[in-house]
Amino acid sequence: MKYAEIIEILAPELDALNRLITSALHTSTPLMNEITATYLRTKGKQIRPVMVLLCARLLGSVNEKVLHAAAALEMLHNASLIHDDVIDETKRRRGVDTVNALWDNHIAVLTGDFFVSAALEQAAATDSLPIVKSMGDLGKELSLGEIHQICNARDRHFRIADYFDAIDKKTASLFVKCAFMGAEATGTPAEVAAPLLQFARLLGLCFQIKDDIFDYFPSEKIGKPTGNDLREGKVTLPLLHALAESDNAPAMKTLLAKDELDDTDIRTLIDFAIACGGIDYAYMRMEQMHREATELLTRAYPDSEARQALLDLFSFIISRDI
């Protein structure tokens, strides 16, 4: 099924979730209400809460605890995006102005902090200490993943293993927590949920690889310039593969050692990565993980609408154009 069809089968649960999020973010402060209302109008595809809901459906059913857990994850994720936009000086996301562009960095940071606090409130509403603890763990993992990526860039580490370690923490960890919370909120034993958590990890890794591939091609839908990762010092999988395989790697590494890359440098590195098969390699790695994840899910759980939706969600992650 297509992603729109996945959303359709979850429509009642997603409606309840979005009402819960809107209520949780409502305050007595008009400015904050204006900011959150503006932000929520462009809430994106909500892939992470969709994961929570599907995992809960696979293992049981969507209850109030599941909805609070999904709301907590979605708000923590959005907090990280708001803060990222400040750090990266991003002015547009999903085709609209960011919080920092509409107001300023000060307001954006405070808004991100408010989202974090609201997320913790929702986690506490589950009355589940493991869910609350997992939120704390997730916050640390997301931060450490970004720090790891910064250190790799600063220390000129161009190892594929380091890249996977970083995206495991900064992206895949969030998808793993989606599965964990869906399982925990339905009372599923850890050993029953284990294959689902591994499926979610592989999905999260592929999500980030596909996101990184976007940086090599122009797209108005994504809302950021080509080569933005390189401008921030991030060397991602396609270029890492090229550096590992090409005889011309020393010249490219010399280029990457510059304090600041100009547009010509960026174009040279992108063309080098594409010409050396970096994009093809990235897709090959995603397809390997896709096969592994499909086998994990189909072997561990009986056929159901939720299982098929999770498999189709993985396919969508790889094929999406935004």
Side-chain angles (χ1 to χ4, degrees), residues 148-149 152 159-168 205 208-210 212 235-238 240:
H148 193 159
Q149 193 165 53
N152 287 342
R159 294 186 292 264
I160 289 176
D162 289 333
Y163 166 82
F164 273 102
D165 191 29
I167 70 169
D168 210 348
L205 292 173
Q208 186 59 56
I209 292 170
K210 186 58 187 279
D212 293 340
V235 181
T236 55
L237 189 58
L240 288 170

Side-chain angles (χ1 to χ4, degrees), residues 6-293:
I6 296 174
I7 295 299
E8 183 62 31
I9 67 172
L10 291 175
E13 292 96 331
L14 282 171
D15 285 344
L17 172 68
N18 287 317
R19 286 196 302 272
L20 178 60
I21 290 173
T22 299
S23 174
L25 292 174
H26 184 74
T27 74
S28 59
T29 305
L31 176 58
M32 184 58 76
N33 290 337
E34 181 186 353
I35 294 167
T36 56
T38 301
Y39 189 84
L40 292 176
R41 280 198 293 270
T42 56
K43 57 183 176 290
K45 290 184 167 56
Q46 295 191 296
I47 289 173
R48 292 145 193 90
V50 163
M51 273 285 292
V52 179
L53 299 176
L54 286 176
C55 290
R57 272 204 182 190
L58 180 75
L59 300 170
S61 61
V62 175
N63 53 38
E64 283 297 314
K65 187 179 287 191
V66 172
L67 291 175
H68 284 298
L73 271 170
E74 178 69 347
M75 286 190 283
L76 183 62
H77 168 61
N78 280 290
S80 72
L81 296 182
I82 293 168
H83 285 155
D84 283 349
D85 289 341
V86 173
I87 294 166
D88 299 338
E89 300 180 1
T90 304
K91 301 303 181 186
R92 306 266 301 171
R93 180 180 287 275
R94 302 172 187 141
V96 298
D97 291 339
T98 56
V99 175
N100 50 298
L102 287 170
W103 286 275
D104 58 34
N105 284 347
H106 187 188
I107 294 293
V109 170
L110 291 172
T111 302
D113 292 346
F114 176 69
F115 270 65
V116 171
S117 299
L120 293 174
E121 214 170 38
Q122 288 302 304
T126 65
D127 287 324
S128 167
L129 188 57
I131 286 177
V132 174
K133 183 180 183 302
S134 72
M135 286 288 288
D137 291 341
L138 177 59
K140 290 193 296 186
E141 287 172 357
L142 293 175
S143 299
L144 289 172
E146 288 291 346
I147 291 290
H148 193 159
Q149 193 165 53
I150 290 168
C151 289
N152 287 342
R154 190 170 291 170
D155 298 336
R156 307 289 190 259
H157 287 169
F158 302 123
R159 294 186 292 264
I160 289 176
D162 289 333
Y163 166 82
F164 273 102
D165 191 29
I167 70 169
D168 210 348
K169 289 183 174 68
K170 82 166 200 170
T171 303
S173 61
L174 184 51
F175 287 90
V176 171
K177 290 299 187 290
C178 290
F180 172 80
M181 290 191 183
E184 184 66 28
T186 53
T188 303
E191 62 274 15
V192 175
L196 182 58
L197 268 61
Q198 181 59 13
F199 172 89
R201 175 180 173 270
L202 293 167
L203 186 150
L205 292 173
C206 286
F207 185 95
Q208 186 59 56
I209 292 170
K210 186 58 187 279
D211 234 30
D212 293 340
I213 288 173
F214 287 141
D215 199 52
Y216 291 80
F217 303 97
S219 172
E220 292 182 7
K221 290 183 180 180
I222 298 165
K224 67 176 184 178
T226 305
N228 200 54
D229 288 338
L230 284 168
R231 287 183 179 85
E232 296 171 9
K234 299 172 185 175
V235 181
T236 55
L237 189 58
L239 182 53
L240 288 170
H241 171 75
L243 291 172
E245 297 296 322
S246 173
D247 292 338
N248 201 31
M252 297 299 110
K253 288 180 181 178
T254 299
L255 201 57
L256 286 165
K258 293 175 63 174
D259 290 335
E260 190 172 330
L261 299 172
D262 60 29
D263 289 345
T264 301
D265 298 331
I266 297 288
R267 188 70 258 165
T268 298
L269 289 163
I270 287 175
D271 290 344
F272 168 73
I274 294 172
C276 293
I279 303 298
D280 293 337
Y281 175 78
Y283 273 107
M284 182 269 291
R285 292 296 299 264
M286 284 194 294
E287 287 300 336
Q288 285 178 340
M289 287 186 278
H290 190 191
R291 288 193 297 272
E292 182 183 348

